[in-house]
Amino acid sequence: MGGDMMNLPIRPRRNRKSASVRGMMRESSLSAAHLIYPMFVQEGAENTPIESLQGCTRWCVADIAAECKRLFNLGIPCVDLFAVVPEEKKDAAGSEAWNPEGVVPRAIRAIKAAVPEMTVMTDVALDPFNTYGQDGIVREYADGTYEILNDETVEALVKQALCHARAGADIISPSDMMDGRIAALRAALDGEGFTKVSLMSYTAKYASAFYGPFRGALGSAPKFGDKKTYQMDPANIREALREAALDAEEGADFLMVKPATMYLDVIAAMRAHSNLPIAAYHVSGEYLMVKAAAASGWLDEKQAMLESLLSIRRAGADMILTYAAPQVAEWLRGE
Ligand code: PBG
């Protein structure tokens, strides 16, 4: 035996020789404490399973609070609320977005009353609320072209964010990608005394094909055109660092990259360039790729989902927004 041994003093496998040694050497980890769960809230008294986003539900205000209590007990510290808006409440301006009796402010109040410890984040953007399915205010021109107006949109986002803050939101997360909205939101929140309300900026949100199932869930797909004049080109990474520098200057409390697993390089670059906490959004298409492959028997759902999310943590994200949060919290608890 001895004669066959290689002269190999350095053997990396020694650090992988047993479960306990591997545990000691592990560089990154995933726990429920890192997870933010996106939730959909709708009018009426029904909870509707979302066919296009398997495992997710459109919650009614009456039941979302009890669900949040269950999630908090599973160890999930934060939920992110999105409104499902019936067509008859949509208009060109998206004015339902700042209705104090809209589903989001009502859900915030219900959740904070039932589970005050749950951190409630809300999405700020106009696409579920306007008839265009665009994140901002649309100006249409006689020749059939259109433009998403920046500064007018920021004014509308301020109204929406203040409406959420007045209802008790802890974190406002603008997903619109307009220029200057972080500074404007910070000033408006501080102006009304909401100095404790945080801002999570969608710093680098790419014009991605992987949002399709989410738009189906909300009925918020753009009625025409695309989002490429405000969401980022998937080819770019330096631009993400430019956005990150601006968000930091404007007062963002933490940054976010979206989607996550196709953009791990962006997360890592942002981690290297910024000392702010970083979140990543594991979006609907990324989530469903794993679910669909598992449903076909091609992947082990639990192992593939946990590995996807761990890769996001390894790249440098502190927090992960994912539709898998409840399931993952249960898996991690069972281990
Ligand atoms: C829109 C918004 C989108 C998502 C979150 N906020 C879609 C879009 O930009 O068209 C996508 C989330 C997902 O796919 O899971 N403000």
Side-chain angles (χ1 to χ4, degrees), residues 43 84-92 96 127-133 215-216 218-221 223:
E43 303 278 354
V84 183
V85 185
E87 285 301 319
E88 63 273 15
K89 292 209 170 177
K90 297 184 184 182
D91 59 21
E96 178 64 13
D127 51 309
F129 301 95
N130 67 29
T131 41
Y132 301 102
R215 293 174 184 173
L218 285 191
S220 66
K223 297 292 183 300

Side-chain angles (χ1 to χ4, degrees), residues 133-156:
Q134 292 284 357
D135 292 30
I137 293 179
V138 179
R139 178 171 291 163
E140 293 179 87
Y141 298 105
D143 64 357
T145 59
Y146 70 96
E147 192 182 348
I148 312 302
L149 302 177
N150 192 87
D151 303 15
E152 293 81 349
T153 298
V154 171
E155 272 177 47

Side-chain angles (χ1 to χ4, degrees), residues 26-312:
R26 191 159 292 133
E27 298 173 36
S28 36
S29 64
L30 178 68
S31 85
H34 304 126
L35 303 178
I36 299 171
Y37 185 44
M39 295 184 86
F40 305 94
V41 57
Q42 68 181 3
E43 303 278 354
E46 309 264 294
N47 302 317
T48 323
I50 307 178
E51 270 166 44
S52 64
L53 198 51
Q54 196 208 321
C56 296
T57 301
R58 295 191 197 95
W59 295 93
C60 64
V61 172
D63 291 336
I64 199 168
E67 177 63 4
C68 283
K69 190 154 211 161
R70 187 184 79 85
L71 296 170
F72 192 79
N73 289 335
L74 274 174
I76 295 171
C78 183
V79 293
D80 184 12
L81 302 181
F82 291 89
V84 183
V85 185
E87 285 301 319
E88 63 273 15
K89 292 209 170 177
K90 297 184 184 182
D91 59 21
S95 54
E96 178 64 13
W98 49 90
N99 174 3
E101 291 308 315
V103 282
V104 167
R106 277 159 51 215
I108 299 167
R109 291 193 289 265
I111 296 166
K112 291 309 276 186
V115 215
E117 313 89 333
M118 177 65 95
T119 296
V120 177
M121 172 186 283
T122 58
D123 188 70
V124 160
L126 300 181
D127 51 309
F129 301 95
N130 67 29
T131 41
Y132 301 102
Q134 292 284 357
D135 292 30
I137 293 179
V138 179
R139 178 171 291 163
E140 293 179 87
Y141 298 105
D143 64 357
T145 59
Y146 70 96
E147 192 182 348
I148 312 302
L149 302 177
N150 192 87
D151 303 15
E152 293 81 349
T153 298
V154 171
E155 272 177 47
L157 301 176
V158 161
K159 286 192 262 185
Q160 186 181 12
L162 286 173
C163 165
H164 295 175
R166 289 177 197 130
D170 299 296
I171 305 177
I172 303 291
S173 66
S175 65
D176 55 287
M177 290 300 281
M178 297 300 124
D179 292 333
R181 90 274 209 221
I182 294 299
L185 290 171
R186 186 70 272 156
L189 289 168
D190 290 353
E192 277 207 17
F194 294 116
T195 55
K196 288 188 188 153
V197 173
S198 316
L199 289 171
M200 176 183 82
S201 180
Y202 280 62
T203 301
K205 178 178 183 181
Y206 287 87
S208 172
F210 291 89
Y211 306 151
F214 169 96
R215 293 174 184 173
L218 285 191
S220 66
K223 297 292 183 300
F224 55 80
D226 55 41
K227 299 191 174 186
K228 291 180 183 171
T229 67
Y230 48 104
Q231 298 182 350
M232 283 177 43
D233 183 338
N236 294 356
I237 184 165
R238 290 192 299 270
E239 190 180 4
L241 298 178
R242 184 177 188 218
E243 290 281 5
L246 280 170
D247 279 347
E249 264 171 51
E250 291 183 30
D253 295 286
F254 55 111
L255 309 177
M256 197 254 268
V257 176
K258 175 180 182 178
T261 49
M262 279 86 181
Y263 295 84
L264 296 179
D265 56 332
V266 178
I267 298 171
M270 218 177 260
R271 173 74 297 148
H273 282 79
S274 176
N275 290 323
L276 289 174
I278 295 172
Y281 201 139
H282 180 241
V283 302
S284 54
E286 297 175 275
Y287 164 81
L288 281 185
M289 283 198 303
V290 175
K291 298 287 274 189
S296 298
W298 297 331
L299 289 179
D300 178 287
E301 180 174 349
K302 177 178 168 184
Q303 299 308 328
M305 194 69 85
L306 292 176
E307 185 176 330
S308 301
L309 299 179
L310 184 63
S311 77
I312 299 167

